[in-house]
Amino acid sequence: MTAAAAGIDPGSPGNDESEVLTPTDQQAQQDERATERKHQKNKTNAKYRQARRAEADRVVVLEELAARGQLTEAQVAELAELQPKVAERKQQNKEANAKEYQGRRAEADRVVVLEELAERGPLNEAQVAEVAELQPKVAQRKQQERANLAKHRQGRKAEADRVVVLEELAARGQLTEAQAAELAELQPSRSGSSKRGQISRSIARGERLLSIGLWCWRSWRRGGS
């Protein structure tokens, strides 16, 4: 008896053949589930970070009120609850950042060592694999750092230019209330930027001297090998 004669639709869910998934279909379903899980995890993490940020911002507000002696009893209790949590997170973030920096610095130093070894002769198989893994990561980080520094400098330059404009308006007595507030906010930033600029230039000079010293040391090592 045929399926049609038995009253069974060949394309219905009751047909065993229609329920069999090909390897491609199975992989597609797995990828879809993985994407959904990742999306959900990102949403959860974003809410978690947002809540933590809100608590940190709230502590700042409460501390400002406390400095002016304007805390209510409820706010005193709220600050006592939030302040230790926010301080602990800051410390954890500080330690995590320090650990990450140390790891990145160790990788950069290792690349320098491997490149020096490569200059003196062929690397062994393990070292070739190691430098092939580390070199792109270190190069990408350096490029990102340069891009971030350039973006930071552009922002500082824009602030400095804006201060000049506002100061000219102030000299002519043409500042609006909003512009006066903007100038009051930007002026300390500009002063701090000038000091940071002096520090950055000192650091840059130190880095140049360090680079020269490193080049001389490498030359000495190559000449002595």
Side-chain angles (χ1 to χ4, degrees):
M1 180 181 295
T2 64
I8 301 175
D9 183 0
S12 69
N15 187 349
D16 290 340
E17 293 183 1
S18 65
E19 295 178 355
V20 177
L21 297 177
T22 66
T24 301
D25 293 334
Q26 292 175 352
Q27 185 62 46
Q29 282 190 353
Q30 292 174 1
D31 292 344
E32 185 177 352
R33 293 192 193 103
T35 300
E36 179 60 28
R37 284 195 298 269
K38 184 177 180 180
H39 178 65
Q40 189 61 40
K41 183 178 180 180
N42 289 340
K43 286 177 62 178
T44 301
N45 290 341
K47 289 181 180 179
Y48 185 66
R49 288 192 298 268
Q50 187 176 7
R52 287 192 161 195
R53 183 61 188 168
E55 287 182 342
D57 291 343
R58 181 61 177 163
V59 166
V60 171
V61 171
L62 292 172
E63 287 176 339
E64 290 176 354
L65 290 173
R68 298 198 296 268
Q70 298 175 351
L71 281 182
T72 65
E73 184 176 349
Q75 290 170 333
V76 168
E78 185 182 6
L79 181 59
E81 177 187 357
L82 292 179
Q83 210 171 28
K85 292 165 60 177
V86 171
E88 183 180 4
R89 287 171 194 156
K90 286 182 178 179
Q91 181 61 30
Q92 289 173 345
N93 290 338
K94 184 178 179 180
E95 291 174 358
N97 291 337
K99 186 176 180 180
E100 182 182 5
Y101 174 79
Q102 289 173 352
R104 290 188 170 193
R105 185 62 193 169
E107 288 182 341
D109 292 343
R110 181 59 178 164
V111 167
V112 171
V113 171
L114 292 170
E115 288 175 341
E116 290 175 355
L117 290 174
E119 290 177 359
R120 298 201 296 267
L123 296 176
N124 62 42
E125 186 175 350
Q127 290 169 333
V128 168
E130 187 179 6
V131 76
E133 177 187 358
L134 294 179
Q135 230 172 9
K137 292 165 62 177
V138 172
Q140 183 180 11
R141 286 171 194 156
K142 287 182 178 179
Q143 177 61 33
Q144 186 62 47
E145 288 170 1
R146 285 193 291 267
N148 290 341
L149 181 59
K151 185 176 181 180
H152 179 73
R153 286 173 175 168
Q154 288 174 353
R156 291 295 180 186
K157 180 67 166 60
E159 286 183 355
D161 292 343
R162 180 61 176 163
V163 167
V164 170
V165 171
L166 292 172
E167 286 176 340
E168 289 176 354
L169 290 173
R172 298 198 297 267
Q174 298 175 350
L175 274 185
T176 65
E177 185 177 348
Q179 290 170 333
E182 183 183 6
L183 181 59
E185 178 182 355
L186 291 178
Q187 272 180 328
S189 175
R190 184 189 181 192
S191 175
S193 177
S194 177
K195 292 179 181 178
R196 283 190 294 271
Q198 294 174 0
I199 294 172
S200 297
R201 286 190 291 272
S202 297
I203 293 173
R205 285 194 295 269
E207 289 177 344
R208 285 195 295 271
L209 291 173
L210 180 61
S211 297
I212 293 171
L214 182 59
W215 179 84
C216 292
W217 178 77
R218 288 181 179 176
S219 299
W220 176 79
R221 287 286 298 274
R222 284 195 295 268
S225 59

